[in-house]
Amino acid sequence: MPELPEVETIRRALIKNILHKKIKDVEIFSPKQFHGDITRVGGAKITGLRRKGKVLYLELANGLYLNFHLKMSGELLFGKKRNVTLKEYLPRTGTKSLPNKHTRIILNFDDGSALFFNDLRLFGWIKLTNKPAVPGGVDVLSKEFTAPYLLTVGRSTTRPIKILLMDQEKIAGIGNIYANDSLWEAKINPLRKAKTLTEVEINNLYKAIKKIIAEAIKYKGSSAQDEMYVMPDGQKGKYQNHFRVYHRTGKPCFRDKKIIVAIRMSGRGTFYCPTCQI
């Protein structure tokens, strides 16, 4: 699932291509993935392109918001025309062509360009709302996300720290990849109950989160083994070449050379070093 770095990378890439454009019309091939009155989208001008957590949203001149959640396999791809050939092959379809068999919704703009919402697994959605349809948690890149805030939410729960980091109603933007790597960076075991972490450990974790997220944005996100994320031009991110522990099962830890192990937590793969993460 695309997390904060991937969605922020998409946002930055799309700003130069769609900001201030007028939406001519919307083509919907998967009705269950579009929520809202489609007749209120046509003719609307895009005045802003923002993100909170993993949700990207367009601010429209008519006062409405068009929200995108990519979920497990969603893609947002931009074309200078309605039928386009990208420079890069799309990993799962083996084609450069848009639209293709995984195109679910197309936003056509008045200059002939288009934004394609592709989704292999059909879990993603686009919602037209009166206010942004975003998670309630504090966004990791916002000024509200501080070490004292992390300490407060950590002391309020006995849940494992990794599960807390992925709770979008507490901390918005961190998913499985960056929870794993941030905990390794901070030398904290993902199974530790959040309220057992000391103030020093929380401060270290806060710094680790900021470091890992910034690095992931620098490398334009992660196109991991499942290649469920690409940029709007079809290119892959490169943070997967810098994973600390994520998907490194059986490989030596970069710190102490011990073997990285994998377990399941709440149905998600969890990777850590059993000796240096305590």
Side-chain angles (χ1 to χ4, degrees):
M1 178 186 294
E3 304 178 29
L4 187 158
E6 290 75 37
V7 180
E8 179 63 15
T9 297
I10 291 170
R11 187 191 71 83
R12 295 181 184 186
L14 287 179
I15 277 183
K16 60 186 178 182
N17 290 314
I18 70 172
L19 190 62
H20 305 308
K21 287 188 176 182
K22 184 179 291 185
I23 301 172
K24 178 183 177 183
D25 57 48
V26 182
E27 298 177 71
I28 300 178
F29 308 109
S30 177
K32 72 174 186 177
Q33 292 184 268
F34 188 92
H35 307 266
D37 184 355
I38 191 174
T39 65
R40 303 183 72 187
V41 180
K45 184 178 181 181
I46 298 171
T47 59
L49 182 57
R50 303 187 186 279
R51 177 202 56 76
K52 184 178 181 186
K54 304 175 187 179
V55 176
L56 181 75
Y57 61 95
L58 308 183
E59 296 175 334
L60 304 180
N62 61 9
L64 299 177
Y65 298 85
L66 202 56
N67 308 270
F68 298 78
H69 200 314
L70 302 179
K71 292 292 185 175
M72 293 300 295
S73 59
E75 299 172 337
L76 282 175
L77 299 153
F78 176 77
K80 292 184 178 180
K81 53 185 179 179
R82 165 61 172 71
N83 295 283
V84 66
T85 300
L86 298 171
K87 293 181 180 179
E88 303 285 334
Y89 276 100
L90 298 175
R92 294 185 308 284
T93 61
T95 177
K96 296 181 180 181
S97 299
L98 289 171
N100 59 41
K101 64 181 181 180
H102 295 314
T103 300
R104 312 303 178 186
I105 298 168
I106 305 174
L107 272 63
N108 293 303
F109 301 111
D110 60 353
D111 67 349
S113 62
L115 183 64
F116 301 84
F117 177 64
N118 282 17
D119 192 2
L120 173 67
R121 297 184 178 177
L122 302 173
F123 293 143
W125 47 254
I126 300 177
K127 294 180 181 179
L128 183 67
T129 57
N130 293 317
K131 60 181 181 179
V134 295
V138 170
D139 187 88
V140 171
L141 292 187
S142 72
K143 63 181 181 180
E144 289 77 22
F145 182 66
T146 62
Y149 175 80
L150 186 58
L151 181 63
T152 298
V153 296
R155 286 181 170 172
S156 69
T157 181
T158 59
R159 290 184 295 171
I161 184 60
K162 185 191 174 212
I163 302 304
L164 173 62
L165 292 182
M166 296 172 62
D167 182 347
Q168 301 303 300
E169 295 305 306
K170 298 294 185 182
I171 303 167
I174 301 175
N176 201 33
I177 294 174
Y178 303 111
N180 278 290
D181 277 11
S182 295
L183 288 166
W184 179 87
E185 188 74 23
K187 301 181 181 179
I188 295 172
N189 191 299
L191 293 164
R192 283 273 302 276
K193 291 182 178 180
K195 68 183 304 178
T196 69
L197 269 63
T198 66
E199 187 170 350
V200 170
E201 288 175 316
I202 288 289
N203 284 333
N204 289 338
L205 179 56
Y206 171 77
K207 293 175 183 177
I209 291 169
K210 299 294 282 188
K211 177 181 179 179
I212 292 295
I213 293 295
E215 186 175 322
I217 292 173
K218 173 185 174 182
Y219 290 112
K220 300 184 177 180
S222 304
S223 296
Q225 292 176 354
D226 56 13
E227 294 185 327
M228 288 293 184
Y229 158 75
V230 292
M231 288 179 267
D233 62 358
Q235 293 187 71
K236 301 177 186 178
K238 295 182 179 179
Y239 180 75
Q240 67 273 13
N241 300 322
H242 304 273
F243 286 158
R244 270 51 167 188
V245 288
Y246 185 72
H247 277 181
R248 297 194 66 247
T249 311
K251 296 181 180 179
C253 172
F254 291 127
R255 264 195 300 261
D256 60 19
K257 307 305 178 184
K258 302 299 182 181
I259 299 301
I260 301 299
V261 299
I263 58 172
R264 304 290 290 181
M265 293 181 67
S266 297
R268 305 301 301 276
T270 300
F271 310 87
Y272 68 100
C273 175
T275 57
C276 70
Q277 288 180 255
I278 58 175

